[in-house]
Amino acid sequence: MHPPHPTPHALAPHVLHYPLADRCLHEGRATVSLRLPRALQPVCVYVRSEPNNEELLSKLEPVGAHGPWERWSGPLRLNPADPVTRYAFKVVLESAQLWVSEAGVTPHAPERDLHFRWNPRYVPARWVWSAVFYQIFPDRFCDGDPSNNVSSGAYRYEGKPVVAKTWDERPVRGQGAREFYGGDLQGITAKLPYLQDLGVTALYLNPIFTSPSSHKYDTVDYLQVDPHLGGNDAFASLCAALRARGMRVVLDAVVNHTSERHPWFDRYGEALEPGAYGHPEAPTRGFYTFVKDGAEGGEDVLEAEGVVRSDDPYHGWLGVATLPVLNFAHPEVQRRVYSDQNALLRVWLRPPYRIDGWRFDVAHMIGEGPGARNNARYLRAFRRAVREENPEAYVLGEHFFEATPWLQGDQEDGAMNYYGFTAPLRAFLTGRDHRAHPVRVDAADLGAMLARARAKLPFEHQLSQLNLLSSHDIPRLQTELGGDTALHRLAATALLTYIGVPCLYYGDEVGLEGSHDPDNRRPFPWDAAWDERLRAHYRRLIALRRGSRALQEGGFAELYARGDVYAFARILGEELVVVVLNRGPQTRVALPLDALGRPATRLRSLFDGAEVAVEGVLEVTLAARASAVFCG
């Protein structure tokens, strides 16, 4: 309950700005809006920007009242020298002031990095905001055509014979890349009814192009789907089947490096014409970086990070011999990867495939020679080429850490959100960081980590981040939680309701376990017992998300962050979704919904269907290690 005459500090949480709904660009003029409680009675309201790298306060005017709210609107001066304009609101009161930014409502001016960000000319891939992705490691999902399976001993990989495994065998550490289970694109096509029943609307596939390994991050031919996965015809059939169901697909673009057996490199002399390795005169020599080609320093160079010691030393990704790194300084590399009309990034965006985007593997490492010089230049060029083929294509980057520079409108739409979602949530639930080192993270820490990541991104990019609980590069959440499915259900609630695009890693929804690579790439357990309660939980949350515009593109507001409990709201127009996560014992919390402009409202509990009448504060009793979702 507020006192009879609310103070400015009591009213401060009521200030609301939802970027998608509260700003627009029309005929080159930018306008922003801010909603304030009428009882606040501001003396003046401004929007602060820096159109010439100098502070400018532009006055807002009241333009209409709705219940307890008053809407203030006015011009925002854009920075002509920077595509991204930073702005914040200054509310002047009789004897104080309030500032509104990504930091929330503060009594003093926030630092520039915490201002709202807007690139009004950025064109997002809006379809991803309503998508639910499902990541598939093709060799491990479903064997639809046993006739194309790899046979044991069919060839050698890193000097050892490849191994055909039965579906119920576990991957063996140190041998994962040469183990094959027979999963293929025909199997994915056959299981589309299962995925559609789950609620999935888009697939992200790990690499599918010709490669000697099972992970296929060492490409031999970028224009051919691996025959053991079904070849180009099987992929065309999968794409047609996906379109018939209204589903989409994003592929893995591994263009930082190739296989050592790619004809451009040809370490073992298998190509028709000599490749770069061992042949300084080869036309493709400059596609890669060799120590002997002008480098100085002798043993110091050989010991440098990333150098593969051999008869012809070269730079490999993290020093891995099978992954020689491409040098984008070479014009022919540029032409074949993105600039030519038949470049590899372009052809798969055309019929009969018409893929919906690319996920760029180790996007931050792509560039010119060691150190990835001019990385941003090439990511911008990739974006232009991809969007020329498909104006709605999703450009996704892989970054394990902060991806702010790549997410300002000119390079990527989103990143695999390890930094801004996966790592904070897993640390909160498991007490360990991504290196398995112990860490203490309570709800306040979780809120701060999430807010720090959001604050650096324009709102459209916040909506486009790919959120995940597990992937092929990290242990599965079910295993990290010690098999605690109650906490897994809590994490699934966060995944499907937090700001950004949810992505399920195949098998997570049925409780598939897996430690570090390659154990996190076990085959999908089609013939084993499933955790049906967990799967039903995922299905219910996916259905909620697909039917909720607030969850797809609504604003975000933290409601509670203390001890074991973290709560937030997603809001769009009159739609409100409240989410509460409790990692600890049974507890009861009070959530201030009046701070969202909802002094009185009715909400429905997603999990038990109960209706709740709220008068300013929502009182919630939470079971141990449980979550709650309320919709209204």
Side-chain angles (χ1 to χ4, degrees):
M1 295 290 291
H2 288 306
H5 302 288
T7 66
H9 289 291
L11 288 167
H14 292 51
V15 179
L16 294 177
H17 173 62
Y18 304 130
L20 278 186
D22 292 342
R23 67 189 185 196
C24 66
L25 182 68
H26 181 66
E27 296 181 349
R29 296 176 179 270
T31 302
V32 291
S33 300
L34 182 68
R35 282 168 279 185
L36 303 172
R38 296 171 70 183
L40 196 59
Q41 297 181 346
V43 174
C44 215
V45 180
Y46 301 96
V47 59
R48 179 201 186 276
S49 62
E50 298 177 357
N52 295 300
N53 296 327
E54 180 71 21
E55 178 181 76
L56 175 70
L57 295 179
S58 302
K59 194 173 182 180
L60 306 188
E61 300 289 346
V63 294
H66 179 71
W69 293 98
E70 188 154 42
R71 186 165 171 260
W72 295 70
S73 185
L76 169 65
R77 288 279 300 278
L78 303 177
N79 187 339
D82 189 338
V84 177
T85 290
R86 291 171 171 82
Y87 67 97
F89 297 97
K90 183 178 185 179
V91 181
V92 180
L93 307 174
E94 190 67 41
S95 59
Q97 60 182 251
L98 301 173
W99 286 80
V100 186
S101 69
E102 285 285 5
V105 181
T106 57
H108 308 292
E111 60 188 271
R112 190 170 180 267
D113 262 4
L114 296 178
H115 282 38
F116 296 113
R117 299 177 185 222
W118 185 25
N119 184 339
R121 291 169 181 80
Y122 164 66
V123 180
R126 289 179 177 267
W127 63 267
V128 303
W129 298 347
S130 59
V132 176
F133 273 84
Y134 192 87
Q135 179 190 350
I136 294 178
F137 194 91
D139 181 63
R140 309 294 161 84
F141 186 60
C142 178
D143 185 356
D145 182 5
S147 70
N148 63 28
N149 290 5
V150 174
S151 300
S152 290
Y155 59 91
R156 301 178 75 82
Y157 184 82
E158 293 187 289
K160 297 180 181 180
V162 294
V163 178
K165 307 273 285 194
T166 62
W167 204 254
D168 58 351
E169 288 184 278
R170 295 267 293 273
V172 177
R173 189 165 181 82
Q175 187 168 287
R178 66 177 61 88
E179 295 181 323
F180 293 84
Y181 286 79
D184 50 32
L185 301 179
Q186 294 95 325
I188 297 172
T189 303
K191 295 300 182 181
L192 290 183
Y194 166 82
L195 296 174
Q196 197 163 38
D197 175 73
L198 185 62
V200 170
T201 66
L203 302 184
Y204 153 45
L205 303 183
N206 286 108
I208 64 172
F209 302 119
T210 302
S211 160
S213 70
S214 57
H215 59 65
K216 308 214 173 300
Y217 281 94
D218 48 351
T219 309
V220 169
D221 189 340
Y222 288 104
L223 299 180
Q224 294 292 324
V225 173
D226 195 291
H228 295 295
L229 296 181
N232 288 13
D233 289 344
F235 184 55
S237 296
L238 172 60
C239 291
L242 287 167
R243 285 194 295 274
R245 294 174 178 271
M247 300 171 72
R248 299 182 184 249
V249 62
V250 169
L251 293 185
D252 222 323
V254 188
V255 295
N256 175 70
H257 46 264
T258 68
S259 168
E260 61 180 345
R261 301 173 71 169
H262 193 291
W264 299 345
F265 196 80
D266 190 28
R267 183 170 182 179
Y268 303 107
E270 299 167 314
L272 295 177
E273 298 180 0
Y277 185 83
H279 298 92
E281 75 288 350
T284 59
R285 181 74 172 188
F287 286 22
Y288 303 90
T289 303
F290 290 86
V291 173
K292 293 180 180 179
D293 295 349
E296 297 180 358
E299 287 300 312
D300 289 340
V301 172
L302 291 177
E303 295 300 327
E305 184 176 358
V307 172
V308 176
R309 296 181 69 110
S310 67
D311 293 337
D312 192 4
Y314 58 93
H315 282 269
W317 176 75
L318 299 183
V320 177
T322 58
L323 305 176
V325 173
L326 284 169
N327 177 20
F328 276 83
H330 198 291
E332 191 65 13
V333 173
Q334 300 171 22
R335 192 183 72 80
R336 298 191 191 193
V337 173
Y338 66 88
S339 65
D340 187 79
Q341 283 304 299
N342 290 314
L344 68 94
L345 290 182
R346 294 177 181 270
V347 296
W348 298 100
L349 291 155
R350 299 171 185 163
Y353 315 105
R354 290 185 287 164
I355 69 170
D356 298 283
W358 288 105
R359 177 263 196 191
F360 287 94
D361 184 58
V362 293
H364 48 284
M365 303 182 78
I366 297 168
E368 300 175 1
R373 292 185 298 275
N374 291 318
N375 171 262
R377 169 189 168 187
Y378 296 107
L379 268 295
R380 292 185 187 107
F382 293 172
R383 180 180 185 82
R384 285 194 298 270
V386 168
R387 285 299 185 91
E388 284 173 6
E389 300 295 335
N390 178 356
E392 292 188 325
Y394 185 36
V395 180
L396 175 68
E398 181 202 22
H399 306 272
F400 269 91
F401 301 99
E402 183 185 351
T404 298
W406 293 270
L407 296 168
Q408 300 299 314
D410 60 342
Q411 298 179 55
E412 301 166 1
D413 295 299
M416 298 188 75
N417 202 14
Y418 293 106
Y419 174 77
F421 177 78
T422 313
L425 183 67
R426 285 172 66 127
F428 176 66
L429 296 178
T430 69
R432 293 183 297 277
D433 69 7
H434 70 288
R435 299 288 189 186
H437 298 156
V439 62
R440 291 184 180 179
V441 174
D442 65 11
D445 298 323
L446 172 64
M449 295 164 75
L450 295 174
R452 181 180 61 191
R454 292 194 309 271
K456 302 294 183 70
L457 305 183
F459 188 67
E460 288 86 349
H461 290 278
Q462 295 179 35
L463 295 174
S464 303
Q465 292 286 82
L466 194 76
N467 297 332
L468 56 152
L469 299 176
S470 307
S471 79
H472 64 294
D473 283 325
I474 59 176
R476 287 186 180 269
L477 180 66
Q478 181 77 359
T479 297
E480 288 292 280
L481 294 174
D484 190 330
T485 55
L487 282 180
H488 189 156
R489 290 192 298 273
L490 181 155
T493 299
L495 175 68
L496 273 301
T497 56
Y498 188 68
I499 189 167
V501 184
C503 181
L504 285 66
Y505 184 42
Y506 78 97
D508 268 9
E509 74 278 10
V510 298
L512 184 58
E513 298 243 13
S515 187
H516 295 276
D517 173 18
D519 195 44
N520 54 2
R521 305 172 185 182
R522 299 183 194 179
F524 190 101
W526 294 109
D527 297 325
W530 294 351
D531 187 329
E532 292 291 356
R533 184 180 177 187
L534 179 61
R535 181 170 174 267
H537 188 77
Y538 270 102
R539 289 180 76 242
R540 178 178 291 177
L541 286 162
I542 291 171
L544 171 68
R545 184 180 183 87
R546 291 185 59 183
S548 169
R549 287 195 63 215
L551 292 180
Q552 295 167 14
E553 56 189 72
F556 178 92
E558 182 179 287
L559 295 174
Y560 190 96
R562 195 178 305 160
D564 294 321
V565 180
Y566 184 72
F568 60 89
R570 302 291 307 281
I571 315 106
L572 185 67
E574 297 301 312
E575 185 185 0
L576 170 66
V577 179
V578 177
V579 180
V580 196
L581 311 173
N582 174 33
R583 72 175 181 185
Q586 180 174 318
T587 190
R588 185 172 177 83
V589 294
L591 307 179
L593 298 196
D594 53 350
L596 303 175
R598 302 294 180 99
T601 190
R602 294 190 67 84
L603 298 174
R604 178 181 57 83
S605 170
L606 175 68
F607 298 136
D608 63 16
E611 289 203 356
V612 182
V614 180
E615 292 291 338
V617 175
L618 173 63
E619 299 278 354
V620 182
T621 299
L622 289 150
R625 307 190 321 284
S627 60
V629 179
F630 299 90
C631 311

